[in-house]
Amino acid sequence: MTNLPDPAIAEALLPLAFSLHDDPGTYALIAGAGISYGAVPVAWEVFTDLIIRAAHTQSVELDRDTAADWYRKRFGTEPTYEGVLEQLGTTQTARQAILRQVFEPDGRLPEPTNAHRAVARLMRAGVIRIVVTMNFDRLFEQALRDEGVEPKIVATEAAAAALGPLHSVRACIIHLHGECQDPESMRNTIDELSAYPERMQALIEQIAREYGLVIAGWSAEYDPVLRGTIETHYPRRYRAVWIDPSDPKPMAAKALTLLQGTPIHTTADEAFAHLADAVDALATRRARNPLTLPVAIDTAKRELSGQHTAISLHDRLHAEFQRLHGLDDLSRTDGTDTEYTELVARLEEASAVAAGLVAVLAYWGTPDTDGWWIDEVARFARVSPATSHHPQFWKARRLIGTRLLYAAGISAVAARRYATFGALTQLTTPSYTTKGNHDSVLEVCGADTAYEQVPRGARRQYKQLQPILDRALGLTHDALDDAWQRFEILRLTTLVLAHPDFETRRDTYLEYKKTHENLTEQDPARQQAWQDRHRSLADTARWLPVDRLHILMHDTNAGDPRITNWSSTAITQLARDLDTNDEHPLVSIGAVHDDGDLRIALDAVNSQLEIQTHKHTRPDTPGTRAEPDAVWLDIPVSDR
């Protein structure tokens, strides 16, 4: 089987990396000959070389391609590693001398592989503490000493008896078949491998029973006792991982099925290097297992589809909220720009599950389940000013509030649950600038506001949240983009309608509009009236932050290269719907306003978006078109 490409290997190993990081010491490594590939001869090479040496004793010259056939003809039996070795060395000491020359030719010690060194890093970090190896070499020990760790070595029955509690051992290398520097410990023949001494057997049973297993480079063909011990005692609470670049041999395939394990098709060098790097990164970032997200979302969907109240979903959601409120990052008040960038990444990662669950509930939930989460959006919008010159730190909790607001709002709009969206429009939070006043959560948790200290913040918000909503809602890419834009436009329109000066500005606009409409085209004052009308419309929403939101703008004058009139496609559709739909979302969120006010608010938002679009698409040479007919506001010109 072809090895997985690097990104696929890293992704496949990610669950194991999180398990090692989150529960250090709960996994043990079972290492076969393949993990030493490149440092010492592999089993097949040793096996055929032993046949060649046996042939030499009978004055027969062979090569590796003809060795096995010669053995079958000469002895009338299938060659086996144990059988050939037993013919060459009749005692353990003799066999040890033969193998020592194989593994340490002319007394030269081999160098540990990348796999040995990566495992040593994992053991130094304490995430793996036990290695069970069938190899005679001491490459694990050498790699550990290079990391400054002195291992506990178990190769004999006496050492197994003296080991003590496994959980107290920091780094333990168990040579199940013995090791080359102790001939009495080595097990090679069929008879020697048919059973382990009592203490050693008890030790591997304990490991198989109490630890998760990472298995690498082991064919499982030639050690029936170890294979049977693992199959009999392995706990299903751990997912075994089996690392091998080739398809598993029959015994390994059978064991993998019984263990319900995960095969990782790559080399030990590649796998453990990725694993050690991933664990180091998790320790630095204090990340959370992203695989929790799809599991949480799929479970939530199943529970919501039942006939009874999903109490466990309620409890899981509030456990997530409680965990988020307790994050140390939310108590930070200052720091460097680099530290803030790292904090943003941690908060995004930490809030992924909560955002996914809120999205599921906003899309498939009911008014009752809305009550489980809606107030939490406002709680994460609430901040208190700190005596610090770094406001982005003490306002960081609003990053979580923003993700929850968008997850809920977009999902509710996608499901046409406009009453739920209307409830979001009512959320407020105490103002930290004006005592006694309250700010709209729709405003302070807008992507452009909450992410104002993050480069390309609104675009980052989209790229971070889009995969979560994709998993939670199961919509096509276009359908999700449409829902996102509708939510943004409805959010902005709601803010315009709620502004205390809206009615005054509306009346001013209507006066200019009436004046313009009452003048004939020949009247020289008509052009000025038209400009006054459009300026007053822009003034109605000029305070509105709309910079670089995820909104698609189209040039309605695409046929004329001299003039560009930009308009939001979502606003065009919403305005059209307003004329034909009695259950339009704007009616739900702005019941105190008539259709005329709603249309003016939509046009005012479009005017602001048009101004921003001109800023982002202004050509270098007047009269030329530097941009396409459609532009996403959150995609920088350099990326288009």
Side-chain angles (χ1 to χ4, degrees), residues 386-422:
T387 56
S388 164
H389 298 295
H390 302 90
Q392 69 268 34
F393 279 90
W394 49 263
K395 292 196 295 185
R397 68 184 302 109
R398 282 187 174 168
L399 294 170
I400 297 177
T402 300
R403 286 162 67 80
L404 297 180
L405 172 66
Y406 276 67
I410 294 165
S411 301
V413 168
R416 301 189 179 278
R417 297 189 65 223
Y418 295 126
T420 299
F421 177 80

Side-chain angles (χ1 to χ4, degrees), residues 226-268:
L226 177 60
R227 188 179 66 243
T229 300
I230 292 174
E231 291 175 353
T232 301
H233 295 282
Y234 191 68
R236 295 301 183 264
R237 66 180 180 274
Y238 294 119
R239 178 60 61 89
V241 173
W242 203 304
I243 297 166
D244 199 293
S246 305
D247 288 331
K249 290 182 169 52
M251 290 300 180
K254 175 177 176 289
L256 190 61
T257 300
L258 290 173
L259 300 181
Q260 299 177 6
T262 301
I264 306 291
H265 294 288
T266 188
T267 64

Side-chain angles (χ1 to χ4, degrees), residues 15 92 139 153 184 244 273 475:
Q92 280 188 325
L139 296 177
I153 301 172
E184 296 299 320
D244 199 293
L475 302 176

Side-chain angles (χ1 to χ4, degrees), residues 192-402:
E192 288 169 349
L193 292 173
S194 63
Y196 294 126
E198 181 181 355
R199 294 283 188 174
M200 193 67 80
Q201 178 64 34
L203 184 58
I204 63 170
E205 285 184 8
Q206 181 184 357
I207 292 169
R209 186 171 57 249
E210 297 179 1
Y211 290 80
L213 295 182
V214 181
I215 302 169
W218 183 45
S219 69
E221 294 290 308
Y222 305 113
D223 198 332
V225 178
L226 177 60
R227 188 179 66 243
T229 300
I230 292 174
E231 291 175 353
T232 301
H233 295 282
Y234 191 68
R236 295 301 183 264
R237 66 180 180 274
Y238 294 119
R239 178 60 61 89
V241 173
W242 203 304
I243 297 166
D244 199 293
S246 305
D247 288 331
K249 290 182 169 52
M251 290 300 180
K254 175 177 176 289
L256 190 61
T257 300
L258 290 173
L259 300 181
Q260 299 177 6
T262 301
I264 306 291
H265 294 288
T266 188
T267 64
D269 282 353
E270 185 113 40
F272 286 105
H274 274 290
L275 205 54
D277 289 343
V279 170
D280 284 346
L282 293 175
T284 300
R285 294 179 59 196
R286 301 192 299 276
R288 189 162 188 261
N289 190 347
L291 292 183
T292 305
L293 175 63
V295 171
I297 287 174
D298 292 347
T299 303
K301 289 179 180 179
R302 286 196 302 272
E303 293 181 2
L304 281 178
S305 65
Q307 296 181 350
H308 304 287
T309 301
I311 296 175
S312 59
L313 173 56
H314 170 276
D315 294 346
R316 191 180 314 117
L317 177 66
H318 280 272
E320 284 296 318
F321 289 146
Q322 185 174 4
R323 185 182 60 81
L324 289 175
H325 283 298
L327 292 176
D328 291 339
D329 283 329
L330 298 188
S331 62
R332 289 283 299 274
T333 58
D334 55 29
T336 65
D337 290 343
T338 299
E339 289 172 333
Y340 180 69
T341 300
E342 294 170 350
L343 178 147
V344 170
R346 290 195 298 270
L347 291 183
E348 288 170 335
E349 199 160 21
S351 60
V353 171
L357 293 178
V358 166
V360 170
L361 286 163
Y363 191 87
W364 277 284
T366 65
D368 288 339
T369 61
D370 288 349
W372 296 357
W373 54 265
I374 199 162
D375 289 337
E376 288 294 339
V377 179
R379 291 189 183 102
F380 281 105
R382 185 180 305 156
V383 298
S384 300
T387 56
S388 164
H389 298 295
H390 302 90
Q392 69 268 34
F393 279 90
W394 49 263
K395 292 196 295 185
R397 68 184 302 109
R398 282 187 174 168
L399 294 170
I400 297 177
T402 300

Side-chain angles (χ1 to χ4, degrees), residues 570-580 584 599 602-603:
I571 288 180
T572 300
Q573 184 60 51
L574 283 166
R576 187 182 299 119
D577 291 348
L578 188 60
D579 298 330
T580 59
H584 191 276
R599 187 61 179 269
L602 273 175
D603 289 343

